[in-house]
Amino acid sequence: MNQITRLREEEFFERLEWFINIRWATIVFIILAALVAIIIFKVSLPIIPIYAITLIIIIYNTGFKFYLTQIKHKTLPTNARKFAITQSILDIIILTILIHFTGGSENPFVFYFIFHTILTSMLLSKRYSYIQAGIVSILVVGLFALEYLEIVPHHSIKGFINIALYKNLTYLAAVTFVFISTIFIATFFTVSISEQLNLKEKELKEANLKLLEKDRLKDEYVKMVSHDLKSPLASILSLLETVTGGFAGSIEEKPKELLQRIQKKVEFLHHYTKDLLDLSRIRAERSLNIQSINIKDVIYTAAEIALPKIGEKDIQLNIDVQDNISNIEADKELLTYVFLNLIANAFKYTPSGGKILVKASLKNELLMIEVKDTGIGIPSEDIPHIFEEFFRASNVAKTTKGTGLGLSLVKHIIKRHRGDISVESKLGEGTTFRFTMPRNQSS
Amino acid sequence: MPKILIIDDDADIVEATKIVLESKGYKVISANEGDAGYKKAETERPDLIILDVMMKTKDQGFQVSYKLKNHPELSKIPILMLTSVGRETGFRFNKETDEDYLPVEEFIEKPIKPKELVARVEKLLKAKQM
């Protein structure tokens, strides 16, 4: 596309459309200007040729509009370029004819060609912009010459200029000089500015691509490292459990206690790498795997995994899914992860004897979820930061182990489902996480 | 006593699993890679197979499980799949709703929790007898 235009395909079509709209405005302008000149300024203008030309513009602009909608998504860029050049040439010819009928060299509106030059120079390549400036100059000056030589008749604007300026060589030389220089200088400025803008845009795009690639590499790296860390940690834990469980022979109390302490630390490390791995993996994932899922199944699956070991804690878990929610559209793995995190958090920060409620309802095609616990709560000053990566609330940072990644991932996943999450909490009374997302992801 | 085949490329996991299961009286054999594991299943005809997912390739375990389940006789052997829960393998818990449900009987998460392992193994062997 660099040959004739400097713009991206998408922008190019946008500009073409813009062109057509400007032409509509021009049509209105011609009609009004002619009326004002005739009625208010009593200038005698050949109304029939003017409106005939206007009609021709209306017809070809309608044609262009139709053609543009036809080619918009299927044409090759070369065809679109030809289309742009056709429009530009046709405009130049028709405007020259209009100038001819409205006084030729005596019509000051001839300088309005500058707008056409600027607009098309923004759309087309440097080379074509200059060629076009040349075509405009030749046609307009040619018209002046032909009228001067009386090869074509001159239509004077009586009531505006009553002397035959078109026969005045000094005047013609001055107008020609100013006209040609105006057109070429305008082309030069427009081309240089849009070239600079394009260069800047290209640079920005490249920088952005580089950043995206760097971010992806970082995620890839974190993923690799955490995976390589996680596997041996899982092996260590498997062996430790075997030893502390007495499966490899009986073990004395003191070494057992020490090994269990090691186990606790390794468990935390394992958990941490698992969270890091999830984070980088989900962030690196470019598209969601949207499918129709049963929200009830997802919640139950997550609750089953999150449930504390029997005898560890005595907490009542209630799951209340409104009957009218059949299936919803979401990435099943990711949504399971969301529930798993929220429910596991609720269990983690709710003391024995507490209650957890998971509620799902549907309102105006919006899925509304609530995960409510009667746990320790989040200090109010920590609430604004609770979804930030690696952030942990001040009341749990020292007492319980955690990575501060879970909730940030939860938010990330919900956002990617075009949803939103909020939290309400009172210290010592409990916390409620609420999130919403559209039931249909495609609509 | 029932014979259990462990297919995993991690010697420590194999060792830990072996110790736990042998302490319960099972006879345990092992293979450190999928293809070798499949051959061993053919010759040894174990009562249960514990199969790791990521070995030579990211999903060798899945491929082995498909191969086993398409074998006229070996398909009857229950498979306990070793996974790291989460996105590596994805959640495929529901036989009815998941199209790509894996043809295995049970999953167990790494790291191995001895009690859980024993409970799953007992459950699978019991189900097989019935």
Side-chain angles (χ1 to χ4, degrees):
Chain A
M1 191 160 254
N2 279 335
Q3 280 296 307
I4 305 222
T5 157
R6 296 175 299 266
L7 297 166
R8 277 188 297 120
E9 208 166 327
E10 221 173 289
E11 274 178 339
F12 191 74
F13 280 112
E14 243 168 59
R15 291 279 174 87
L16 280 177
E17 211 163 335
W18 195 50
F19 241 54
I20 290 170
N21 290 335
I22 287 178
R23 208 173 282 115
W24 291 128
T26 311
I27 291 164
V28 174
F29 177 79
I30 296 173
I31 295 172
L32 288 179
L35 285 179
V36 168
I38 294 166
I39 297 167
I40 299 175
F41 295 103
K42 311 281 182 215
V43 174
S44 85
L45 280 175
I47 198 82
I48 292 167
I50 293 176
Y51 285 161
I53 289 167
T54 317
L55 190 67
I56 292 169
I57 304 177
I58 292 174
I59 291 166
Y60 79 69
N61 207 29
T62 311
F64 285 158
K65 174 102 190 147
F66 179 71
Y67 183 66
L68 186 66
T69 50
Q70 292 294 307
I71 64 164
K72 205 165 181 178
H73 299 293
K74 42 196 167 188
T75 194
L76 296 164
T78 41
N79 285 345
R81 275 181 250 147
K82 279 185 198 149
F83 179 47
I85 294 170
T86 312
Q87 287 191 56
S88 159
I89 302 273
L90 206 54
D91 282 336
I92 296 171
I93 294 171
I94 212 86
L95 289 176
T96 310
I97 296 173
L98 188 67
I99 291 291
H100 164 63
F101 281 108
T102 53
S105 55
E106 292 165 2
N107 185 348
F109 282 110
V110 73
F111 285 93
Y112 270 26
F113 261 112
I114 191 178
F115 299 128
H116 179 270
T117 302
I118 291 172
L119 289 176
T120 47
S121 298
M122 277 158 67
L123 189 71
L124 299 168
S125 74
K126 187 175 174 176
R127 188 166 151 261
Y128 187 77
S129 300
Y130 282 111
I131 292 177
Q132 185 189 249
I135 294 173
V136 171
S137 306
I138 290 167
L139 276 180
V140 171
V141 176
L143 175 72
F144 294 172
L146 291 176
E147 287 188 10
Y148 174 78
L149 298 171
E150 288 177 352
I151 297 171
V152 296
H154 170 74
H155 299 270
S156 57
I157 338 169
K158 289 186 193 83
F160 176 59
I161 291 168
N162 295 324
I163 46 168
L165 270 179
Y166 76 102
K167 277 292 204 182
N168 182 328
L169 259 183
T170 322
Y171 170 77
L172 276 186
V175 169
T176 299
F177 173 75
V178 177
F179 183 79
I180 294 177
S181 55
T182 304
I183 294 295
F184 274 92
I185 291 168
T187 303
F188 171 74
F189 283 143
T190 315
V191 166
S192 348
I193 291 169
S194 48
E195 255 183 354
Q196 271 177 30
L197 278 177
N198 278 304
L199 202 69
K200 281 262 149 48
E201 198 189 5
K202 217 174 129 197
E203 277 171 13
L204 277 177
K205 225 180 266 168
E206 271 165 18
N208 197 25
L209 269 179
K210 264 185 204 154
L211 278 177
L212 280 175
E213 180 58 19
K214 285 232 164 90
D215 198 44
R216 200 189 60 77
L217 278 177
K218 184 211 75 195
D219 279 342
E220 204 59 40
Y221 179 72
V222 174
K223 194 166 119 187
M224 210 173 69
V225 170
S226 39
H227 183 262
D228 289 350
L229 284 172
K230 197 180 139 214
S231 299
L233 287 172
S235 307
I236 294 170
L237 278 174
S238 302
L239 287 170
L240 274 172
E241 294 251 12
T242 311
V243 177
T244 54
F247 293 94
S250 64
I251 178 169
E252 275 177 48
E253 238 3 85
K254 191 64 193 170
K256 187 177 173 179
E257 189 214 312
L258 293 176
L259 283 173
Q260 276 168 342
R261 277 161 69 176
I262 295 172
Q263 198 175 319
K264 279 265 173 289
K265 300 272 184 213
V266 181
E267 261 167 18
F268 173 70
L269 278 178
H270 181 258
H271 184 72
Y272 200 106
T273 49
K274 216 172 89 166
D275 273 6
L276 271 178
L277 193 56
D278 283 335
L279 180 81
S280 55
R281 198 173 283 141
I282 292 170
R283 278 173 45 114
E285 210 117 312
R286 281 180 190 141
S287 59
L288 299 175
N289 176 23
I290 297 293
Q291 48 179 314
S292 178
I293 56 170
N294 185 316
I295 188 77
K296 214 168 184 168
D297 283 350
V298 170
I299 298 176
Y300 276 94
T301 305
E304 212 172 287
I305 306 171
L307 223 53
K309 284 175 211 131
I310 300 156
E312 198 177 288
K313 249 182 190 180
D314 179 31
I315 294 167
Q316 195 188 329
L317 171 70
N318 287 313
I319 297 173
D320 173 19
V321 179
Q322 212 178 64
D323 288 333
N324 66 354
I325 314 176
S326 45
N327 277 19
I328 65 148
E329 283 177 356
D331 184 309
K332 190 178 181 185
E333 275 175 46
L334 294 183
L335 199 64
T336 310
Y337 186 92
V338 166
F339 279 106
L340 179 61
N341 252 278
L342 292 177
I343 299 172
N345 264 352
F347 272 117
K348 195 167 169 185
Y349 300 118
T350 303
S352 264
K355 278 183 192 166
I356 296 170
L357 172 68
V358 182
K359 221 170 118 183
S361 56
L362 197 67
K363 198 179 168 190
N364 301 331
E365 291 299 289
L366 209 61
L367 177 70
M368 298 170 79
I369 306 287
E370 203 177 287
V371 179
K372 190 176 182 174
D373 65 48
T374 57
I376 58 173
I378 305 164
S380 57
E381 68 272 18
D382 289 342
I383 287 179
H385 306 287
I386 203 74
F387 295 109
E388 288 170 10
E389 273 173 28
F390 300 103
F391 181 83
R392 300 204 61 222
S394 52
N395 59 334
V396 298
K398 292 216 172 76
T399 52
T400 56
K401 296 271 185 201
T403 57
L405 289 173
L407 284 177
S408 76
L409 257 185
V410 162
K411 185 167 181 170
H412 179 81
I413 294 170
I414 291 169
K415 285 268 177 206
R416 290 200 54 183
H417 281 88
R418 296 188 288 137
D420 215 348
I421 185 164
S422 65
V423 63
E424 198 184 303
S425 186
K426 215 165 195 182
L427 219 49
E429 284 180 22
T431 304
T432 307
F433 283 95
R434 286 191 190 87
F435 72 86
T436 58
M437 54 188 247
R439 174 205 197 137
N440 294 315
Q441 289 297 317
S442 44
S443 62
Chain B
M1 246 345 222
K3 197 191 321 180
I4 298 171
L5 169 62
I6 306 167
I7 309 174
D8 195 330
D9 60 348
D10 186 331
D12 297 326
I13 296 280
V14 171
E15 184 70 19
T17 317
K18 217 171 189 168
I19 291 169
V20 172
L21 293 175
E22 280 174 352
S23 80
K24 297 290 167 189
Y26 296 108
K27 185 177 180 338
V28 182
I29 51 174
S30 65
N32 66 356
E33 182 268 322
D35 296 329
Y38 182 77
K39 279 195 193 103
K40 223 164 198 172
E42 268 183 322
T43 53
E44 298 268 348
R45 301 292 157 124
D47 298 282
L48 175 86
I49 296 171
I50 297 175
L51 180 60
D52 184 28
V53 180
M54 285 167 94
M55 288 182 284
K56 222 159 61 183
T57 58
K58 248 176 96 178
D59 60 348
Q60 202 195 18
F62 291 166
Q63 284 158 17
V64 173
S65 76
Y66 276 109
K67 251 166 89 184
L68 285 169
K69 289 300 171 192
N70 284 318
H71 189 285
E73 285 153 53
L74 298 181
S75 64
K76 292 184 188 80
I77 305 174
I79 299 175
L80 174 57
M81 199 118 195
L82 272 174
T83 68
S84 322
V85 88
R87 300 189 59 91
E88 258 164 281
T89 54
F91 294 102
R92 294 184 179 89
F93 288 97
N94 198 324
K95 221 173 194 160
E96 280 75 41
T97 57
D98 290 355
E99 269 176 58
D100 49 357
Y101 175 77
L102 284 168
V104 299
E105 277 69 20
E106 209 36 273
F107 288 91
I108 190 163
E109 218 182 295
K110 281 182 186 180
I112 288 161
K113 303 252 188 284
K115 277 182 197 153
E116 211 180 308
L117 173 71
V118 172
R120 299 264 161 99
V121 166
E122 277 172 1
K123 187 180 141 196
L124 286 177
L125 289 173
K126 210 183 233 172
K128 194 194 169 200
Q129 279 162 13
M130 286 198 296

